[in-house]
Amino acid sequence: MGLDDKMKNTAQDLTGKAKEKIGNATDNDKLAAEGVADQADAKVKKGVENVKDELK
């Protein structure tokens, strides 16, 4: 994975954290859940990146 993909994953993780915090602060369960899902997706992508990097 390239630097561009790593930056996108980090941005997705940070966006997810922001959505979760805003959702919790405003009692918006849907937004909070979307934030958690974004973070989980970014974590999976980072894991795949790490495996690919180790295989190189």
Side-chain angles (χ1 to χ4, degrees):
M1 291 271 161
L3 181 61
D4 187 47
D5 291 330
K6 290 180 182 181
M7 288 175 35
K8 286 180 184 177
N9 292 340
T10 301
Q12 183 178 17
D13 184 47
L14 294 174
T15 300
K17 288 179 182 179
K19 285 181 181 180
E20 182 182 12
K21 286 184 180 185
I22 293 169
N24 288 334
T26 60
D27 291 327
N28 185 338
D29 293 334
K30 183 178 177 184
L31 184 61
E34 187 177 318
V36 171
D38 285 349
Q39 290 175 68
D41 190 35
K43 186 175 182 178
V44 168
K45 288 178 183 178
K46 286 180 185 180
V48 170
E49 279 181 29
N50 291 339
V51 170
K52 286 184 178 182
D53 288 343
E54 288 181 22
L55 292 175
K56 286 184 180 182

